[in-house]
Amino acid sequence: MTSAVHTDSASDRLEASGLDLPELRDNPYYVHHRTVGSSIHISGQLPYRDGELLGQGIVGRDVELETARELARHAVLNALAAAVQAVGDLDRVRIVQMLVFVASTPDFGLQSRVANAASELLIEVLGENGRHARTAIGVAGLPLNSPVEIQMVCTAV
């Protein structure tokens, strides 16, 4: 039996997972991506869907681990949407590095479990092109009191 990762396009795998890439709204203060040489730097993305921030609060106090993981999946979908803006097609996106910020209590310590949800989605959709270097860090707070923010560097293949 052939794995779907090897037979379907990234767009097919995204659709099969019941997900789609959101449309990113323009922002007057920054761009969603900037290309420098062969690298595409994706601005930090929050867990927005249809213009609505899906959660607020501090993980380990106001936000449960599983909720934070779901928010990380939404944030990485927004980052993927920015990458597609830059390269034109989901099948051309290769993730180089992902930085996951988790607004969390000082004793939380499970930032990597939150980040794993985003990493899992990238690998599920992009296959080997979704494997990446990664950093997950806890921070005192994020814009709009979001529990999660994701920044990426990618390249076109």
Side-chain angles (χ1 to χ4, degrees):
M1 176 178 245
T2 305
S3 166
V5 170
H6 299 295
T7 60
D8 298 337
S9 71
S11 297
D12 291 340
R13 290 189 296 274
L14 184 68
E15 185 178 328
S17 68
L19 301 170
D20 57 2
L21 294 180
E23 286 191 35
L24 300 178
R25 296 180 180 198
D26 289 336
N27 189 300
Y29 304 106
Y30 65 88
V31 294
H32 290 290
H33 59 84
R34 175 74 68 202
T35 301
V36 178
S38 63
S39 294
I40 303 156
H41 298 261
I42 307 297
S43 293
Q45 299 292 322
L46 301 179
Y48 275 106
R49 183 173 54 204
D50 299 326
E52 179 183 339
L53 186 62
L54 297 176
Q56 291 184 308
I58 302 297
V59 182
R61 184 183 74 203
D62 314 310
V63 178
E64 298 293 326
L65 174 62
E66 286 309 311
T67 300
R69 287 174 50 82
E70 189 59 31
L71 293 171
R73 288 174 57 88
H74 284 286
V76 85
L77 279 174
N78 291 325
L80 273 179
V84 169
Q85 279 183 354
V87 304
D89 187 308
L90 189 57
D91 287 305
R92 295 191 62 224
V93 174
R94 176 180 290 148
I95 309 305
V96 175
Q97 181 181 35
M98 182 170 66
L99 178 56
V100 180
F101 300 94
V102 181
S104 53
T105 60
D107 63 339
F108 178 65
L110 298 175
Q111 291 83 0
S112 63
R113 297 250 334 256
V114 174
N116 285 349
S119 294
E120 290 161 3
L121 189 144
L122 291 174
I123 294 166
E124 176 185 337
V125 171
L126 299 175
E128 279 304 308
N129 286 338
R131 293 194 187 280
H132 52 275
R134 186 184 86 190
T135 302
I137 61 171
V139 296
L142 290 168
L144 304 175
N145 198 26
S146 175
V148 179
E149 183 172 6
I150 293 180
Q151 176 185 335
M152 290 190 326
V153 177
C154 60
T155 189
V157 293

